[in-house]
Amino acid sequence: MLGQVSPPSPHGSTLQRRSFLRSSLGFAAAALPVGSQAQTGPNARPIGEALPEAMKTPGGSDTPYGQPAVFERDVVRSESRAAGFSVWRSPLQHQRGTITPNGLHFATHHNGVPTIDPAKHVLMIHGLVERPLQFDLERLMRYPMVSRTHFLECAGNSAANALSMTALDHTLGDLAGEVSCAEWTGIPLSTLLNEAGLRPSAKWVVAEGADGGSHSRSLPLSALLKDGMLALYQNGERLRPSQGYPMRLLMPGWEGNVNVKWLHRLEVVDTPAYTKDESGLYTQVLNNGQIEHFAFHMEVKSVITHPSGQQTLPGVHGFYEIGGLAWSGRGRIAKVEVSIDGGASWAVAQLHGPVLDRAFTRFTLPWQWRGQKAVLMSRATDEMGHVQPSRKVWKSRYASHSFNHYNAIHAWQVGRDGRVENTYA
Ligand SMILES: Nc1nc2c(c(=O)[nH]1)N[C@H]1C(S)=C(S)[C@@H](COP(=O)(O)O)O[C@H]1N2
Ligand SMILES: [Mo]
C-alpha cells in the first residue's frame, strides 16, 4: 500500500481530552504512516511496472444470485447446539460498517427452520378485537410500509462471559455474535391492530410463530402499537428463512426472543399468557433469589471488533485503529470511551454517524502499539445516560447461574507477541 493513513481527528476537542491525548503514551494524536515503501536498490522495479495477472485474461462468469469472493470462505457464522436449540453466531470480527449482510445475520432456532410456502401462509389477528382478521401475503403487500434500521440481540448473547469463571479464549463472534443489525421493512403493527379494532379490555398480545414448537411470547399492547412492525424485508430483500420468512414480528431494542419469526397469529388478550418460552427460559434470577420477569429491553453495550479475540497484531509497532460497535435498546448511543490500560484511564472514541436509534453505531480510536502488554476495553453510554457496568458489578446483581441480558464492559488482552485474547479485567 502506498501513501499515508491519517487517523481521524479527535472527536470533541475539549481541553481535557487534548491533555489526555498528550499525556497518554498509548493513543496516537498525529498522523502515522502504515503503508510500505517502494523497494530501492539495483534490482528494484518501479512501482506500477508489472501488470496484475487478472488484466491479462478475460474474466469468469457471474452468478444469478451474487456470492461473496471465494477468498472470503472463512467469513461464516458458527453454530452451537444446546438443549435442542441451534444458535448461529455472526462473525462480528470480520465485519465493518453497521449493517449485517443477510447471510451473516445471527440466528436462534428453538425448533429448526420451517419451510413455509408464502402462498399458503396466513396471519391471524383475533381475541379482544371487534373484527377478527386473516391476512394472506398478497393482501399484506398492498399496505403502506416503513423501513427502519435496528439491531437485534439474543437475551443470551455473551452468556459465556457471564457464566465462565475464567475468560474463554474465543473469537468475538463466538463470544458475543448473537447480535446483528439490519434495515427492516414492513407494516407498522398499529395499522393491522387498529383495523381489527381493539376492545377496551385489550392490554397484551400473544405472538405465535408457525414453527414446530410454536414459539410464543406475550407483549404489552401499548408497546406494539408504538413500535411493533410486521417485517417482510431484510436489507432490501425478502426475509431469509433463518430470520422468519415470510414474516416476523420486530420490536426494536427488545430481547431477541420476543421478535417472533414465521409469525402466524396475534391474539389480543387482557393478561400475559405466561407461555413456556417466557416462563421457563427468559427470566433472570437476581442475587436475592427474586425473579426478574418481562425484562424486555436490551441494555447499552459495546464490543471492540478490531483488534479482537484470536487475532494477532502483525508485529509491526506503530499505528493501529481500535474499532468497534455500540448499541442500546433504549435509544441512541451518546458516547463510547476506550481504555488501553484495563480501565485505569479512558479516552473518548469517535462515533461514526449516522447515529441511529436502537441501531449499531461504529466507534474508532487511533492507537499506537509499541509492543507493550495492553488491555483494551470499551464502555458505551446511551442518550438516556445508561452506562455499561463492569463485569463485577453485573455479576453482583444476578444469581451466579444467570446469564441473560449480560452487557458488562468487555476486555481484550494484547500480549507482547501481539496476540489478542479474551480477559476479565
Ligand atoms: N418462531 C420463532 N421465533 C423466534 C425464535 C424461534 O425459535 N421461533 N427464536 C427467538 C430468539 S431466541 C431470538 S434471539 C430471535 C433471533 O432472531 P434471528 O434468528 O432472526 O436473528 O428470534 C426469536 N424468534
Ligand atoms: Mo434468543
Side-chain angles (χ1 to χ4, degrees):
M1 199 215 297
L2 267 186
Q4 295 200 332
V5 173
S6 308
S9 61
H11 171 81
S13 54
T14 60
L15 243 184
Q16 201 192 348
R17 180 179 155 79
R18 282 218 194 96
S19 59
F20 180 92
L21 283 172
R22 254 201 309 272
S23 65
S24 160
L25 282 175
F27 292 108
L32 295 156
V34 294
S36 60
Q37 297 282 308
Q39 280 182 359
T40 51
N43 299 323
R45 292 168 72 183
I47 272 191
E49 196 196 55
L51 268 187
E53 278 311 304
M55 292 176 74
K56 298 176 186 167
T57 56
S61 56
D62 210 339
T63 52
Y65 193 93
Q67 297 293 315
V70 294
F71 304 101
E72 301 297 319
R73 274 200 193 106
D74 292 347
V75 184
V76 289
R77 305 184 296 179
S78 61
E79 190 192 16
S80 65
R81 287 164 189 254
F85 278 43
S86 142
V87 175
W88 291 86
R89 300 192 173 90
S90 197
L92 298 175
Q93 68 275 18
H94 292 303
Q95 297 166 49
R96 296 283 174 123
T98 53
I99 297 293
T100 309
N102 289 339
L104 297 178
H105 199 284
F106 93 95
T108 308
H109 312 306
H110 294 198
N111 289 281
V113 182
T115 303
I116 296 178
D117 178 350
K120 292 181 184 146
H121 184 79
V122 286
L123 171 68
M124 291 171 273
I125 299 184
H126 66 122
L128 298 172
V129 294
E130 302 299 339
R131 291 164 295 278
L133 296 174
Q134 187 163 301
F135 303 85
D136 58 22
L137 208 77
E138 198 184 335
R139 189 162 158 209
L140 287 170
M141 291 301 283
R142 291 168 52 204
Y143 281 82
M145 296 190 197
V146 294
S147 295
R148 306 262 188 270
T149 299
H150 289 300
F151 78 86
L152 189 61
E153 184 180 18
C154 179
N157 191 25
S158 308
N161 273 358
L163 290 175
S164 177
M165 299 289 279
T166 52
L168 302 174
D169 180 14
H170 289 166
T171 65
L172 172 61
D174 285 347
L175 287 168
E178 286 158 65
V179 61
S180 295
C181 187
E183 185 205 58
W184 304 95
T185 299
I187 306 162
L189 272 178
S190 56
T191 309
L192 303 176
L193 288 166
N194 285 327
E195 188 178 331
L198 296 159
R199 297 251 178 97
S201 53
K203 291 282 180 300
W204 289 75
V205 175
V206 184
E208 187 182 68
D211 49 339
S214 56
H215 179 81
S216 38
R217 288 284 331 240
S218 313
L219 294 100
L221 176 65
S222 56
L224 274 190
L225 288 173
K226 185 167 166 276
D227 264 344
M229 182 200 279
L230 179 72
L232 300 161
Y233 291 83
Q234 171 185 0
N235 293 329
E237 63 180 359
R238 295 293 290 275
L239 298 184
R240 291 286 169 97
S242 177
Q243 265 65 60
Y245 182 85
M247 60 190 71
R248 82 176 306 161
L249 176 68
L250 191 84
M251 266 306 286
W254 284 23
E255 57 181 11
N257 63 78
V258 302
N259 295 263
V260 175
K261 303 189 277 192
W262 314 292
L263 185 70
H264 89 118
R265 200 163 71 86
L266 291 173
E267 184 177 352
V268 183
V269 291
D270 55 0
T271 52
Y274 296 104
T275 67
K276 66 180 188 323
D277 302 293
E278 58 206 15
S279 303
L281 290 174
Y282 297 111
T283 52
Q284 283 71 243
V285 184
L286 301 177
N287 230 352
N288 60 10
Q290 285 193 322
I291 307 282
E292 198 174 72
H293 224 187
F294 298 117
F296 289 126
H297 289 89
M298 295 309 289
E299 304 295 343
V300 64
K301 189 162 169 177
S302 66
V303 287
I304 291 172
T305 54
H306 57 274
S308 65
Q310 294 191 358
Q311 295 177 346
T312 302
L313 300 180
V316 188
H317 299 176
F319 171 76
Y320 287 91
E321 181 187 70
I322 298 174
L325 292 166
W327 62 94
S328 166
R330 304 265 180 193
R332 287 174 185 78
I333 289 297
K335 181 170 79 170
V336 178
E337 296 155 289
V338 170
S339 176
I340 56 163
D341 51 17
S345 62
W346 297 86
V348 178
Q350 183 184 3
L351 298 185
H352 296 254
V355 178
L356 300 175
D357 183 12
R358 292 164 290 176
F360 273 177
T361 296
R362 269 279 160 200
F363 65 87
T364 58
L365 193 79
W367 177 43
Q368 275 225 60
W369 183 57
R370 297 200 176 86
Q372 78 277 28
K373 259 189 161 180
V375 175
L376 311 181
M377 300 163 80
S378 62
R379 178 172 69 188
T381 305
D382 68 19
E383 61 180 342
M384 324 299 277
H386 302 290
V387 189
Q388 278 186 268
S390 67
R391 185 172 184 278
K392 212 171 140 190
V393 165
W394 191 93
K395 289 292 286 178
S396 71
R397 284 182 199 155
Y398 294 96
S400 59
H401 63 280
S402 266
F403 60 86
N404 282 321
H405 291 259
Y406 182 82
N407 71 325
I409 294 167
H410 187 248
W412 299 118
Q413 177 171 296
V414 183
R416 283 186 221 290
D417 55 357
R419 191 165 191 284
V420 187
E421 209 174 299
N422 186 27
T423 187
Y424 296 156

